[in-house]
Amino acid sequence: TAFSSNPALCIFDYLTDTKLGLGISRNNIDTASFTTMANLCDENVTKVGGGTEKKYTCNGIVYSDIAPMQILQDMLTSCLGVLSYSNGKFILKGGQYVAPVASFDEKDFISGININSKQSRKSLHNTVKGIFTGAETNFQPTDYPAVTSSTFVEQDGETITSDIDLPFTSSSATAQRIAKVSLFKNRQQMVLTTTLNMKAFKLQVGDTVSITNSRFGFNGKQFEVAEWVMSTEQLGIDIILKETSSSVYDWNAEESEFVLDNTTLPSPQDVSPPAMVVTD
């Protein structure tokens, strides 16, 4: 037993602790996913001002009058984590880009495809700010430096701010990295809802998949599994996919990439003239 500020280990401890946590059996936890996440959090990141720090750390206080789900959500903010429950086990993912685990094309869809290409204005933002608590501010809750994309501000025509508090993040540098990933994820707006065949049975929430569909102009377009459930109407998987890309987790990503990667569909204003081919 030892102290650790590793988010994956802190979340694991809270889930399994019988006195201060939820007392969940270790048999009901996918330890492999927690190990992968723990190793990611322990990676060193070079700071702009010099020196290094761990990629993600979890430092904060858990109050007994706060609902366990809220506590978990607050702890997950420290590593951009996603905690899901599948096949009787808790699975922890997030914090980094993961290459597609499966590819799907037209033959794998067994229902219509519903695509929401844009978020509503109230869900969109181009600036992220919030509160963190760390040694830099004598452990007093303080605003971390806001992260703004001038490219997105120009597209939206105004500054739209979102508050993302990070109660378990103690470094302003880490807070800015998390804020920028949150901003980039928000600009990946396309959401695809459909039913896939049983090839999708092996997928888990947080997995990345590759979608090819000529009608929608997708050629290996990458999506992240946001929701997964067995279909009640046919033998398949009802699934919700949200677009993603490796640039989401890249501190030096070019913002214009998030505008250009949506689709290759032609403009509805360009109508080809009718043609007839006469053969003997």
Side-chain angles (χ1 to χ4, degrees):
T1 302
F3 170 81
S4 175
S5 61
N6 186 298
L9 301 183
C10 292
I11 294 169
F12 181 89
D13 184 65
Y14 182 71
L15 289 172
T16 57
D17 194 292
T18 56
K19 295 181 179 179
L20 304 177
L22 302 182
I24 296 171
S25 170
R26 297 189 178 207
N27 294 328
N28 296 118
I29 294 180
D30 180 27
T31 54
S33 68
F34 278 78
T35 299
T36 299
M37 191 69 173
N39 292 335
L40 168 68
C41 295
D42 276 340
E43 292 179 2
N44 288 321
V45 176
T46 302
K47 300 171 67 174
V48 175
T52 62
E53 67 177 9
K54 296 298 183 184
K55 192 163 191 174
Y56 302 115
T57 60
C58 181
N59 298 280
I61 301 172
V62 172
Y63 294 98
S64 60
D65 61 342
I66 299 178
M69 183 58 71
Q70 183 61 51
I71 291 173
L72 283 171
Q73 289 177 349
D74 288 344
M75 295 174 76
L76 287 167
T77 63
S78 67
C79 62
L80 293 162
V82 177
L83 186 67
S84 61
Y85 185 78
S86 178
N87 293 326
K89 292 181 180 292
F90 286 93
I91 302 168
L92 181 63
K93 293 189 177 184
Q96 66 175 340
Y97 167 75
V98 178
V101 299
S103 299
F104 300 90
D105 54 29
E106 285 90 341
K107 68 178 182 296
D108 298 310
F109 293 89
I110 58 176
S111 76
I113 302 174
N114 179 49
I115 289 185
N116 184 5
S117 61
K118 297 290 183 182
Q119 297 186 74
S120 64
R121 187 74 169 183
K122 66 180 180 180
S123 301
L124 202 63
H125 56 259
N126 49 48
T127 298
V128 175
K129 66 181 184 67
I131 303 294
F132 85 108
T133 305
E136 302 165 58
T137 61
N138 200 25
F139 296 99
Q140 298 301 308
T142 308
D143 289 328
Y144 58 79
V147 176
T148 300
S149 167
S150 58
T151 301
F152 297 155
V153 171
E154 183 179 352
Q155 292 171 6
D156 299 335
E158 62 177 327
T159 299
I160 307 173
T161 303
S162 176
D163 287 309
I164 299 180
D165 293 336
L166 302 172
F168 283 86
T169 298
S170 59
S171 163
S172 62
T174 304
Q176 290 177 80
R177 291 199 310 273
I178 292 175
K180 192 161 189 179
V181 172
S182 300
L183 174 59
F184 284 177
K185 290 186 74 172
N186 177 261
R187 304 306 292 201
Q188 296 276 263
Q189 303 180 61
M190 188 177 295
V191 177
L192 186 153
T193 304
T194 188
T195 302
L196 293 170
N197 57 23
M198 292 303 292
K199 179 181 175 181
F201 183 77
K202 63 181 180 181
L203 297 180
Q204 298 175 342
V205 172
D207 282 343
T208 303
V209 298
S210 174
I211 301 294
T212 297
N213 187 294
S214 57
R215 182 179 181 186
F216 290 104
F218 298 157
N219 183 17
K221 183 170 176 59
Q222 297 180 15
F223 289 84
E224 182 179 307
V225 178
E227 187 173 318
W228 180 108
V229 64
M230 288 287 294
S231 174
T232 58
E233 298 180 358
Q234 51 192 327
L235 188 61
I237 306 298
D238 291 334
I239 198 165
I240 297 178
L241 303 172
K242 190 177 188 302
E243 70 172 330
T244 188
S245 72
S246 59
S247 299
V248 166
Y249 295 92
D250 184 2
W251 177 256
N252 298 313
E254 170 53 48
E255 284 92 332
S256 60
E257 295 178 7
F258 299 106
V259 181
L260 301 175
D261 71 344
N262 284 338
T263 179
T264 57
L265 283 177
S267 169
Q269 305 300 325
D270 298 331
V271 181
S272 300
M276 179 181 296
V277 178
V278 179
T279 60
D280 292 333

